[in-house]
Amino acid sequence: MRLLEVLKKVAIEFCSHTSLHGMQYTVEPRRALIERLFWRLAIFGALVGSVLSFRAICNAKYFQSQVITSIVATSYPTFTLEQPAITICNANRAFKSSADRFFKTMNFHDESEKEELQHSLPKLIEHFSIPNIRQAISDRHMIMKWTDYLQNNGWTLNEFMLYLSQKCSDMIVGCTIGMTEVDCSDIVSTTRTGLGFCCSVAYMQNRDALLVRHAPESPQKTSIPFVQSGYENGLSFLLNLSQQDSTFSEFYKNSAAVFIHSPMDFPSIHTVKIYISDGAETFSRIKSTGMLYTPGLEDLDPISRQCYMEDEIKLKYFDHYTFGNCFMENHMELLISRCNCLKPQYPNQGIFKECTIFNHLCVNSLTYPHVGGRRIFITINGSRIPCLERCVYSRFSPAVTVGRLDGHQYNTNKPWNGMNVTGLTVLHTFQQSFESRAYKRTALVSHWRKIVVVGGLAGVVFGLNLLNIVEFIYFLTSPFFSYLKKQFCSPGNNKKVGIDHRPNVEQKSIRIFVTSRPNVISQ
């Protein structure tokens, strides 16, 4: 009970001297009891209201959405953002000259086997380029005959498809960087994509056993500079998309699909792309949009910030982490677990076998996970990791303008010294502007922001500031212990608690009267 009395004295003294709004009115003895009750109820109501307000703010800002995305600038320098990679895929997937060379060099049991394989080659290419379950069932015998022949002669299906596809040097006749002609072999490489084998510029995926084995030994001589604003400063290609030597086309003949993607992103069917046709000059103006982040975002866990920092996640089948690569790895894991194989279009490090007719029905029965639906997961070191965006990335939106090249047309822009481009295709890719729109992610959860919110609410309601906190600590230390010392250590208290054990001590009250005569004490 004595401790409660001490706490009561300290509380009364604190409320009497503090500058907090209304506190002194709750303990002033000269005020009526009803007034003191009113102020106590008012302060209690203000305390409850501030707590509820703080809880609502925390739920809205910190618990439900811990990261906010805002615009940094609409004129952000484009050269500071990630620059796009260009991948060109010819619609002509196989060429007669390559097929004829294959049949001339390979050995066959008899002429009938050779003729049967030659006759069924287009169906084999179609089967693996545009899979169809019903067609796979009806053509089972033909496909099995082809896969057995390739396996017996030391060929894989991927190697055979790469052999039949058009070489990049045959499709890309000329290249310029900033209107300066360069050797295309220095900047173009064969890559595997969602549409088969294509030709890429500035794509950085190297984890593919087949392509690494066929890559030239000498390194590239020229690095790709920044694709600046205006086609005079961008990349230009002179392409041969003729179907004269083609045996199978995946989509429109005499055309090509051009993927515009991040240098780290696998060119899949979901990648942004444009289509070009022969006999045309195409101007592809690329508009870039960047996503950045502010310091402090890395302190949050990936689920809270909804993105991964650079090199935070290491994928199994791709050199770099992107949301698109994570999406593709999810489907590759599904194929491996259910079908024990990989499609020819996917990167393969030589560990997994190719999907053949025996499991092609399994492959066709699998569908891509829906990007905008449920969250997609992959397995890294035995843990399920959700696929999230990178914290820093760029998006590319192409705007296309096309003009025809009719008759004996010479390239009027003259990047190839007046070469006759009749029957060829010219493609220009360049940044639309030197300035781009950039966004940033900002972490809302921080100790300083919480202090500001709490301090703002407490200041409005109570007039609370840091000095009041120091004042409160002071009254809980110095006056509190002083009262305790007086309460428990004074001589009068020692008598009461039994320190003086003298029995039968008569206690008399003493009355003091003040009169005109000094020193008069009546007892």
Side-chain angles (χ1 to χ4, degrees):
M1 294 300 293
R2 293 191 184 92
L3 182 61
L4 293 178
E5 292 177 2
V6 172
L7 290 174
K8 182 179 179 181
K9 288 182 179 181
V10 173
I12 292 174
E13 186 174 355
F14 173 75
C15 293
S16 300
H17 294 86
T18 185
S19 62
L20 293 176
H21 300 328
M23 285 292 186
Q24 66 272 21
Y25 303 143
T26 62
V27 296
E28 286 183 351
R30 61 186 176 83
R31 292 191 179 274
L33 178 61
I34 189 66
E35 290 186 58
R36 283 180 285 174
L37 290 176
F38 168 77
W39 280 107
R40 289 172 186 176
L41 289 175
I43 292 173
F44 179 76
L47 177 63
V48 172
S50 61
V51 171
L52 294 177
S53 300
F54 179 68
R55 181 182 177 184
I57 293 174
C58 286
N59 288 333
K61 286 190 174 182
Y62 302 128
F63 301 143
Q64 295 181 1
S65 177
Q66 301 189 28
V67 177
I68 187 173
T69 302
S70 58
I71 296 179
V72 178
T74 56
S75 58
Y76 197 81
T78 303
F79 71 90
T80 61
L81 300 176
E82 183 182 62
Q83 299 305 304
I86 308 298
T87 299
I88 305 173
C89 298
N90 196 335
N92 304 317
R93 308 311 301 156
F95 287 81
K96 186 175 182 301
S97 57
S98 299
D100 292 342
R101 188 166 59 252
F102 175 82
F103 285 110
K104 286 181 180 179
T105 56
M106 299 299 295
N107 296 321
F108 301 92
H109 291 100
D110 49 38
E111 194 66 24
S112 62
E113 180 187 28
K114 180 178 179 181
E115 292 180 357
E116 183 180 4
L117 292 176
Q118 283 180 321
H119 179 73
S120 59
L121 178 59
K123 283 194 170 293
L124 173 71
I125 300 171
E126 182 181 3
H127 173 69
F128 284 97
S129 298
I130 310 175
N132 184 282
I133 295 179
R134 293 183 178 179
Q135 182 177 346
I137 295 175
S138 61
D139 297 335
R140 176 185 295 269
H141 174 74
M142 176 271 298
I143 298 172
M144 289 178 59
K145 191 174 184 64
W146 258 110
T147 53
D148 291 341
Y149 176 80
L150 293 175
Q151 185 176 3
N152 293 334
N153 287 273
W155 284 71
T156 65
L157 180 62
N158 272 319
E159 290 173 335
F160 182 60
M161 296 299 296
L162 180 61
Y163 181 84
L164 294 180
S165 64
Q166 187 181 36
K167 294 182 180 180
C168 293
S169 57
D170 294 334
M171 180 179 67
I172 303 179
V173 180
C175 304
T176 65
I177 300 177
M179 300 295 288
T180 301
E181 190 170 2
V182 298
D183 188 350
C184 295
S185 62
D186 291 340
I187 64 174
V188 177
S189 60
T190 302
T191 56
R192 198 193 307 246
T193 72
L195 294 180
F197 295 101
C198 303
C199 304
S200 294
V201 176
Y203 177 45
M204 299 190 297
Q205 168 71 8
N206 297 314
R207 203 181 300 181
D208 192 324
L210 177 62
L211 296 180
V212 169
R213 187 164 66 249
H214 288 83
E217 297 181 359
S218 59
Q220 292 183 347
K221 303 176 184 178
T222 307
S223 60
I224 304 302
F226 164 62
V227 185
Q228 298 185 26
S229 176
Y231 85 93
E232 299 92 344
N233 300 315
L235 300 176
S236 296
F237 304 93
L238 187 60
L239 306 174
N240 179 15
L241 303 179
S242 174
Q243 65 161 341
Q244 295 177 1
D245 192 28
S246 174
T247 61
F248 175 79
S249 297
E250 189 165 352
F251 41 94
Y252 298 108
K253 297 181 181 298
N254 295 359
S255 63
V258 180
F259 292 95
I260 301 172
H261 57 99
S262 164
M264 298 180 284
D265 214 352
F266 177 76
S268 67
I269 59 176
H270 301 287
T271 307
V272 175
K273 55 183 173 292
I274 63 174
Y275 292 95
I276 59 177
S277 60
D278 67 326
E281 186 171 14
T282 304
F283 295 84
S284 176
R285 304 184 305 277
I286 302 173
K287 181 180 179 181
S288 297
T289 303
M291 176 64 74
L292 312 173
Y293 74 93
T294 57
L297 190 70
E298 64 274 9
D299 297 334
L300 299 177
D301 62 277
I303 301 300
S304 299
R305 60 174 126 94
Q306 287 296 296
C307 65
Y308 291 120
M309 308 300 293
E310 186 178 3
D311 299 329
E312 189 172 10
I313 300 295
K314 300 291 185 182
L315 298 177
K316 297 190 292 290
Y317 310 118
F318 297 94
D319 294 344
H320 306 277
Y321 178 88
T322 66
F323 178 79
N325 290 348
C326 186
F327 175 83
M328 294 300 299
E329 188 151 310
N330 171 273
H331 198 253
M332 292 171 68
E333 288 181 347
L334 194 64
L335 281 171
I336 294 169
S337 62
R338 297 188 183 181
C339 306
N340 196 28
C341 67
L342 282 177
K343 296 175 69 174
Q345 294 86 350
Y346 291 167
N348 196 333
Q349 297 173 269
I351 303 174
F352 305 102
K353 64 181 181 180
E354 301 167 353
C355 296
T356 60
I357 183 58
F358 298 105
N359 45 37
H360 210 67
L361 298 179
C362 170
V363 173
N364 289 340
S365 65
L366 298 179
T367 58
Y368 284 99
H370 184 53
V371 179
R374 60 180 178 84
R375 181 169 288 178
I376 303 169
F377 290 84
I378 58 173
T379 303
I380 302 292
N381 298 326
S383 302
R384 297 290 287 169
I385 306 296
C387 289
L388 304 173
E389 276 287 4
R390 292 179 294 156
C391 295
V392 178
Y393 64 86
S394 295
R395 289 284 181 267
F396 309 108
S397 302
V400 179
T401 303
V402 181
R404 297 298 303 175
L405 298 175
D406 298 321
H408 297 284
Q409 176 68 46
Y410 289 83
N411 182 24
T412 55
N413 298 313
K414 299 181 180 179
W416 293 286
N417 299 320
M419 180 186 298
N420 189 346
V421 297
T422 302
L424 302 179
T425 300
V426 180
L427 171 64
H428 305 286
T429 61
F430 52 91
Q431 289 284 3
Q432 179 174 329
S433 172
F434 286 106
E435 298 176 343
S436 301
R437 176 172 293 185
Y439 298 85
K440 67 175 180 180
R441 286 189 174 97
T442 304
L444 293 178
V445 176
S446 67
H447 298 300
W448 280 111
R449 288 181 178 272
K450 291 181 179 179
I451 291 175
V452 168
V453 172
V454 174
L457 288 173
V460 170
V461 177
F462 301 107
L464 179 68
N465 53 47
L466 291 177
L467 290 179
N468 295 130
I469 298 175
V470 174
E471 182 183 40
F472 180 74
I473 296 173
Y474 167 75
F475 274 97
L476 282 181
T477 54
S478 179
F480 178 74
F481 287 110
S482 178
Y483 281 126
L484 283 179
K485 184 177 180 181
K486 291 179 182 179
Q487 187 74 15
F488 291 101
C489 300
S490 63
N493 285 330
N494 290 339
K495 291 180 181 179
K496 291 181 180 180
V497 297
I499 297 177
D500 190 353
H501 297 285
R502 291 178 296 174
N504 301 323
V505 177
E506 184 179 358
Q507 297 182 0
K508 295 182 179 180
S509 60
I510 300 176
R511 290 178 294 175
I512 301 175
F513 296 91
V514 180
T515 64
S516 60
R517 292 177 297 177
N519 301 328
V520 177
I521 301 177
S522 177
Q523 185 171 353

